[in-house]
Amino acid sequence: MSFSLQFSNLLGAVYRHGNLSFSRDGNSVISPVGNRISVFDLKNNKSETLPVSTNKNITCVGLSPDGNLAILVDEDGAAILVSLVTRAVLYHHHFHKPVNSVSFSPDGRSFVVTKENVALMYNAPGKNREFNAFALDKSYYGPYDETTCIDWTTDSKCFAVGSKDMTTWIFGAERWANLIYYSVGGHKDVIVGCFFEKDSLDLYTVSQDGALCVWESDTELDELRKGPKYSERKKMAEERKRREEEEAEEDEIEELGEDGQRRGEVIKGSAGAPEDVEGIKNVRYKQKSKHFFNKEDDFNNLTAAAFNKNTHILVTGFASGAFHLHELPDFDLIHSLSISDQRISTISVNPTGDWIGFGCSGRGQLLVWEWQSESYVFKQQGHFNNMASLAYSPDGQYLATGGDDGKVSYFLSILRYRNFRTLTSPRLAQFSSLAVDVSGELVCAGAQDSFEIFLWSMQTGRLLEVLSGHEGPVSCLCFSPVQSVLASVSWDKTVRLWDMQDSWQTREVLRLTSDGLVVTYRPDGQELAVATLDGEITFWNPQTAAQTGSIVGRHDLQMGRKETEKITAKQSAKGKAFTSLCYSADGESMLASGQSKFVCIYNIKEQILMKKFEISCNLSLDAMEEFLDRRKMTEFGSLALVDEGAGDGDGVELGLPGVRRGDMSSRHFKPEIRVSSLRFSPTGRSWAAASTEGLLIYSLDTSLIFDPYDLDMDITPVSIRCQLKKKEWTSAIVLAFRLNETSLIREVLEAVPHDQVAVVSSSLPDVYVEKLLDFVASSLENSRHLQFYLTWAQNLLTLHGQKLKNRSGAILPTVQQLLKSIQRHHDDLSKLCDWNIYTIRYIKALSKQRGMKRMAADSLSEQEEEEEERGSVLMGSEDEEEDMMSEALIVN
């Protein structure tokens, strides 16, 4: 089982650094998390971390207009081209310098990369059938300082580049006769964003000091014309010659790229605009208006900006954590809100303009705000410091993590918790370990300073006992899963077993060869594993107190060399011990980890190393490499130890105590790679590791596209579908499993008539029963055919129950996953049924109330009719009397 476990997901961290991007449909947000990217499906409330990674933290993400490709660039300028369809790396490229921004053209034919003060335009991959996926087309020079942002016109004819020199440059993507380059100023600080108006050359520029300039062009997009090349003019040729003499070194770089390939066309610009070509009037810009944002103080700089061309909404974020929404070009304030106490690092707006994504690197926050309803669509914050522990729920559906930041995160759920019990010790104690028994009635904590164990009752919160006996700090506690026995390990080289039913007395004392660090029970409670400081794992029988085996793992847990260490990693004694142990669900394997990037999995019976999982390859973390980079070594020490200043650093920021804003002496440090906690899922199909990178999930559920079993030449999709036409259901299922293509297996299985499920299940060979049951268990979780797959599961378990019971250890993860899926569907259907019941009751009550009102109205109308009839009768009698009187008068 361990060899087929693959990286499945990354939780606990939602954003680190870089720019956010929305998918083409606007329902998913793509967030860089360290050297990986996570995709958050906001409609279905799901997240996925792509199985690709860069060498260092990702700083730039460029998404193609069709949403099929993404360019990921790390801190050093190393880029990978990733297919978001197949989740595979297509191409590697190195820009040799840090990249500031990446942007695809709206037509998808090219993309622009900015580094230093140059903009490089490449032909988009896949458009031209070339071996080199990144074919350089043009190089654009103009800014005198580093570039900061890019934006394209809607027809991909031009693009704008903002710079730290307070100017914005407009370049033509093609050699337009009336627009080769143009620069606009008007600002007194760094350009944060530049945006074209929809279907226009009109431009908006936003600077860090909170100023917005509106630029109006005298030329429309359809008026751009191709004509004689601007470089043919004699005056500009002389000007270029003069610049070449002054910048000889730059010319050498322009002739040959840093990767040794010949560069494309080079376009240089000078301040302002080039002179007109004869008969053609060049594009000109004029400043139409200038606006200023309402900032709280001088330190509240504008840090991020985004603009949606369809809705004309400008979103700006500030260092205080507030953001503003303005409608352009009139600069009308729509909305203003503070969403964080940290600077907003990046802003992105989805294509429809309804959702706005915010990323705050200081706290690792990712928020998606729906501005029209003024509500959060997504609001998550990872641990902004290291994770310390984790735990699975009994059904394996949820995960809880605790971090050094004092927070507890609960995944995949929106439950809210409150503190209902606070347990205190009679005297001051520094707790270093915690354990809760299986029944949840007893809670114990080990002290590091007094060497005691405190025992409380969960129901009453009362301190029951203080256990004494250890002569060193208590490093770990663990309750037996089947007995009321507590195991404690200490630095005094002993493991003590405490009987919770017999006056909390010491039951056994196990002597170790070195300081004890961690202790854990096997799931059946019949074995105990202890990790010691000398890098050894010993196994004990808790009933007889006899040692049953040991594993020497000091050489398996490889430790990298930190940048501050004076000795090599091989000679360093630190990190040579395991600090976390975990049994697999079947108890046959052992997971072990420590202050290293590796997680080791051992076979307990054979006492051998089966596999090592490398949890990270992110060189932005400390202690990742065995040897230091000699290129960074100087006579004064390593260059990596030099703090390059304050602001938006790559490491973890440490501010001065008591200072909330304007800390010009901010320090940064590189987090050290380590795995602090390991846990196997109760289903046995996955395990989790709490690490510096976040919460890593390794799962058996990662579907393989093609993994054939007992394959022959005549087994093809065509032959399988022929069996379906002949209604040979059993044969078609067997052939589909031999080809082992998920979509084909699902097609064959769902083609079987419902009344034939029992017959097919009884005729299946034994070797395919487990495969089919495993497929049904995995399909039941997401399939809409609930009754159909439940019928398959019921027949397989009923007809082959005895044979499956004999292999209970092998199929236990499958059965647990089946129970998990059934329970989830049961909960969902229960909620739906309850909702329907309440709705029906409401409708009945409402109809009854309306019926009573209708009856009252009918009775009232009947009374009115009777009164009208009575009134008409009276009127008739009065008329008759008047007639009689008139006749009598006539007679008289």
Side-chain angles (χ1 to χ4, degrees):
M1 179 181 66
S2 62
F3 291 99
S4 56
L5 285 164
Q6 298 183 16
F7 174 77
S8 174
N9 210 343
L10 173 63
L11 303 175
V14 292
Y15 172 76
R16 291 281 174 81
H17 185 64
N19 61 295
L20 299 176
S21 301
F22 276 94
S23 60
R24 184 182 180 184
D25 57 5
N27 296 331
S28 300
V29 61
I30 300 174
S31 173
V33 183
N35 65 334
R36 302 177 184 269
I37 57 171
S38 295
V39 181
F40 297 92
D41 189 343
L42 305 178
K43 287 288 187 180
N44 301 316
N45 296 323
K46 294 182 179 180
S47 67
E48 177 190 8
T49 302
L50 302 190
V52 297
S53 60
T54 56
N55 292 330
K56 289 192 175 182
N57 288 335
I58 296 174
T59 57
C60 299
V61 177
L63 195 65
S64 63
D66 57 6
N68 295 333
L69 298 176
I71 298 175
L72 313 180
V73 188
D74 67 9
E75 298 169 350
D76 290 344
I80 59 173
L81 177 66
V82 178
S83 171
L84 298 180
V85 179
T86 62
R87 268 59 174 164
V89 177
L90 304 180
Y91 185 71
H92 290 264
H93 187 82
H94 208 299
F95 294 104
H96 300 284
K97 294 289 183 180
V99 172
N100 301 316
S101 54
V102 179
S103 179
F104 275 86
S105 62
D107 60 5
R109 298 180 62 87
S110 58
F111 66 91
V112 171
V113 174
T114 62
K115 64 174 184 177
E116 296 183 327
N117 66 331
V118 61
L120 307 175
M121 188 169 71
Y122 291 83
N123 294 324
K127 300 301 180 182
N128 300 321
R129 297 184 178 275
E130 297 180 359
F131 178 76
N132 183 9
F134 285 13
L136 180 61
D137 185 19
K138 297 181 181 68
S139 300
Y140 297 86
Y141 291 85
Y144 294 94
D145 204 342
E146 288 189 6
T147 53
T148 57
C149 53
I150 309 173
D151 192 56
W152 287 82
T153 57
T154 51
D155 58 0
S156 305
K157 291 183 178 179
C158 305
F159 65 91
V161 175
S163 173
K164 289 184 178 181
D165 63 2
M166 301 173 288
T167 62
T168 302
W169 291 73
I170 301 96
F171 295 105
E174 300 181 28
R175 292 292 299 201
W176 305 111
N178 49 347
L179 177 59
I180 301 176
Y181 64 87
Y182 196 99
S183 69
V184 295
H187 289 280
K188 298 180 180 180
D189 209 336
V190 175
I191 303 297
V192 176
C194 54
F195 313 101
F196 282 104
E197 186 59 86
K198 184 179 181 181
D199 299 326
S200 174
L201 282 172
D202 295 346
L203 187 69
Y204 305 106
T205 56
V206 182
S207 61
Q208 187 172 289
D209 59 353
L212 167 69
C213 291
V214 182
W215 302 93
E216 185 179 24
S217 172
D218 63 352
T219 307
E220 298 295 332
L221 284 173
D222 54 5
E223 296 177 358
L224 294 177
R225 295 162 51 190
K226 292 184 177 181
K229 290 187 177 182
Y230 179 74
S231 58
E232 294 178 357
R233 292 188 53 85
K234 183 178 180 181
K235 182 178 179 179
M236 292 307 300
E238 294 176 354
E239 178 69 14
R240 184 170 65 253
K241 184 177 180 180
R242 184 183 63 83
R243 288 177 58 88
E244 287 176 355
E245 293 175 353
E246 296 176 351
E247 302 172 356
E249 295 180 0
E250 183 178 343
D251 291 340
E252 295 178 0
I253 299 177
E254 293 167 359
E255 181 64 24
L256 287 177
E258 294 167 346
D259 53 359
Q261 298 176 353
R262 190 163 186 84
R263 302 177 69 91
E265 186 179 2
V266 178
I267 299 176
K268 294 183 180 181
S270 57
E275 295 184 1
D276 297 340
V277 179
E278 294 182 3
I280 300 176
K281 184 179 180 181
N282 284 344
V283 175
R284 304 286 181 181
Y285 278 90
K286 69 175 181 179
Q287 184 174 313
K288 184 178 180 181
S289 59
K290 188 173 184 179
H291 309 277
F292 295 92
F293 294 89
N294 183 18
K295 301 195 304 178
E296 298 177 1
D297 50 55
D298 294 337
F299 296 109
N300 189 21
N301 291 330
L302 192 149
T303 56
F307 178 70
N308 186 270
K309 292 180 171 60
N310 297 320
T311 59
H312 306 282
I313 298 297
L314 174 67
V315 188
T316 51
F318 296 85
S320 63
F323 74 92
H324 296 169
L325 266 70
H326 288 86
E327 186 176 9
L328 299 182
D330 297 330
F331 198 66
D332 296 330
L333 180 63
I334 299 175
H335 189 63
S336 178
L337 184 70
S338 178
I339 58 175
S340 177
D341 59 349
Q342 296 291 318
R343 67 186 298 272
I344 297 177
S345 305
T346 179
I347 300 176
S348 179
V349 185
N350 72 337
T352 60
D354 299 326
W355 292 349
I356 306 171
F358 300 94
C360 302
S361 60
R363 288 289 182 266
Q365 292 176 309
L366 176 60
L367 307 98
V368 179
W369 176 263
E370 187 175 28
W371 65 273
Q372 292 177 332
S373 63
E374 299 185 4
S375 61
Y376 286 107
V377 179
F378 182 88
K379 184 179 181 181
Q380 290 286 336
Q381 175 179 337
H383 293 283
F384 60 85
N385 217 326
N386 293 331
M387 284 188 183
S389 59
L390 70 96
Y392 272 98
S393 62
D395 58 1
Q397 295 190 37
Y398 304 109
L399 269 169
T401 61
D404 293 344
D405 54 1
K407 294 185 178 180
V408 176
S409 298
Y410 200 64
F411 298 101
L412 304 179
S413 174
I414 57 173
L415 299 177
R416 295 292 183 264
Y417 291 90
R418 63 181 179 87
N419 182 7
F420 73 96
R421 190 83 68 216
T422 300
L423 308 176
T424 59
S425 59
R427 52 188 174 273
L428 293 178
Q430 183 180 0
F431 297 133
S432 57
S433 55
L434 179 72
V436 182
D437 73 332
V438 179
S439 64
E441 296 179 356
L442 298 177
V443 179
C444 63
Q448 190 172 0
D449 48 0
S450 63
F451 313 152
E452 296 172 327
I453 301 174
F454 298 87
L455 188 66
W456 295 275
S457 170
M458 178 67 80
Q459 293 183 352
T460 63
R462 186 171 61 90
L463 180 66
L464 299 178
E465 186 65 30
V466 178
L467 307 180
S468 302
H470 282 296
E471 299 176 358
V474 180
S475 54
C476 185
L477 299 172
C478 183
F479 276 98
S480 170
V482 295
Q483 294 179 332
S484 185
V485 176
L486 172 67
S488 63
V489 65
S490 171
W491 291 7
D492 61 2
K493 303 180 182 180
T494 62
V495 175
R496 291 181 177 268
L497 303 181
W498 308 85
D499 195 336
M500 297 291 101
Q501 295 180 345
D502 188 12
S503 301
W504 304 294
Q505 298 297 320
T506 303
R507 183 174 177 178
E508 295 287 351
V509 178
L510 311 179
R511 301 293 176 180
L512 306 175
T513 58
S514 183
D515 296 2
L517 300 179
V518 61
V519 61
T520 184
Y521 271 98
R522 201 168 65 183
D524 59 1
Q526 301 304 313
E527 190 176 74
L528 195 69
V530 183
T532 53
L533 190 61
D534 56 358
E536 189 173 349
I537 304 175
T538 56
F539 301 94
W540 302 78
N541 187 330
Q543 307 298 330
T544 63
Q547 183 175 343
T548 58
S550 65
I551 296 175
V552 179
R554 66 172 62 94
H555 300 294
D556 299 330
L557 190 63
Q558 297 177 359
M559 180 68 180
R561 181 176 178 179
K562 294 196 295 184
E563 295 176 344
T564 56
E565 288 183 341
K566 303 298 183 182
I567 58 177
T568 62
K570 186 176 181 180
Q571 299 297 328
S572 175
K574 186 185 296 185
K576 294 287 183 66
F578 295 107
T579 58
S580 181
L581 297 178
C582 179
Y583 277 95
S584 61
D586 56 7
E588 296 180 356
S589 304
M590 169 68 69
L591 283 173
S593 67
Q595 291 187 357
S596 170
K597 62 179 179 179
F598 292 105
V599 173
C600 303
I601 185 165
Y602 295 95
N603 184 286
I604 299 176
K605 183 178 180 180
E606 302 295 335
Q607 298 181 9
I608 59 173
L609 177 67
M610 294 195 297
K611 189 173 182 179
K612 291 171 65 174
F613 295 91
E614 186 178 8
I615 63 170
S616 177
C617 60
N618 189 358
L619 299 181
S620 296
L621 302 175
D622 203 1
M624 285 294 297
E625 296 182 289
E626 185 177 358
F627 302 100
L628 295 182
D629 190 351
R630 296 185 179 275
R631 293 173 296 180
K632 296 182 179 180
M633 300 301 295
T634 66
E635 57 180 332
F636 304 105
S638 175
L639 290 177
L641 301 179
V642 178
D643 189 358
E644 295 183 356
D648 190 19
D650 299 326
V652 178
E653 183 174 347
L654 293 174
L656 287 175
V659 177
R660 295 186 60 186
R661 298 178 185 172
D663 186 2
M664 294 291 104
S665 62
S666 296
R667 289 89 64 210
H668 302 83
F669 73 95
K670 294 177 66 174
E672 181 182 354
I673 185 66
R674 67 173 180 175
V675 178
S676 55
S677 182
L678 292 170
R679 288 293 182 271
F680 243 102
S681 171
T683 63
R685 301 191 64 86
S686 63
W687 59 270
S691 69
T692 311
E693 284 278 76
L695 183 61
L696 301 169
I697 308 295
Y698 287 81
S699 174
L700 283 170
D701 300 331
T702 304
S703 59
L704 299 177
I705 298 177
F706 184 69
D707 185 18
Y709 172 78
D710 193 17
L711 189 62
D712 293 334
M713 293 295 294
D714 56 345
I715 301 178
T716 62
V718 176
S719 63
I720 294 173
R721 291 187 175 94
C722 289
Q723 294 294 322
L724 283 180
K725 292 181 180 179
K726 296 177 182 178
K727 297 184 178 181
E728 298 288 341
W729 313 117
T730 305
S731 176
I733 291 176
V734 171
L735 293 177
F737 271 104
R738 291 175 67 182
L739 191 59
N740 204 14
E741 190 174 345
T742 303
S743 59
L744 188 59
I745 295 174
R746 184 175 291 107
E747 177 185 347
V748 171
L749 201 62
E750 295 180 356
V752 178
H754 186 269
D755 55 355
Q756 296 293 319
V757 172
V759 178
V760 176
S761 298
S762 61
S763 60
L764 275 176
D766 295 341
V767 67
Y768 293 100
V769 172
E770 294 182 20
K771 292 180 176 292
L772 180 56
L773 185 63
D774 184 73
F775 183 83
V776 169
S778 60
S779 299
L780 183 63
E781 188 172 359
N782 300 316
S783 177
R784 299 179 180 177
H785 307 293
L786 182 58
Q787 183 181 0
F788 180 75
Y789 281 104
L790 285 176
T791 304
W792 273 107
Q794 181 183 8
N795 284 276
L796 290 173
L797 293 173
T798 303
L799 298 173
H800 303 275
Q802 188 60 40
K803 296 179 181 179
L804 293 174
K805 186 177 180 180
N806 297 333
R807 291 179 48 82
S808 58
I811 69 165
L812 179 61
T814 301
V815 175
Q816 289 178 333
Q817 186 186 20
L818 189 64
L819 291 174
K820 173 185 172 182
S821 301
I822 294 174
Q823 183 64 38
R824 190 178 66 83
H825 284 295
H826 177 269
D827 295 341
D828 294 342
L829 289 175
S830 298
K831 294 178 182 178
L832 181 61
C833 293
D834 292 340
W835 174 261
N836 290 338
I837 291 173
Y838 299 147
T839 305
I840 292 173
R841 289 178 181 175
Y842 174 76
I843 293 174
K844 289 178 62 177
L846 190 62
S847 62
K848 185 178 180 180
Q849 184 179 6
R850 289 183 177 179
M852 295 176 63
K853 290 183 178 180
R854 191 178 298 109
M855 292 176 59
D858 293 341
S859 62
L860 182 63
S861 60
E862 290 178 358
Q863 292 178 2
E864 292 177 352
E865 290 178 358
E866 291 178 358
E867 291 178 357
E868 290 179 358
E869 291 179 358
R870 190 180 299 110
S872 61
V873 171
L874 293 175
M875 292 290 295
S877 61
E878 291 177 356
D879 292 340
E880 290 179 359
E881 291 180 357
E882 291 179 356
D883 293 340
M884 292 176 62
M885 293 178 64
S886 60
E887 291 178 357
L889 291 173
I890 292 172
V891 171
N892 294 331

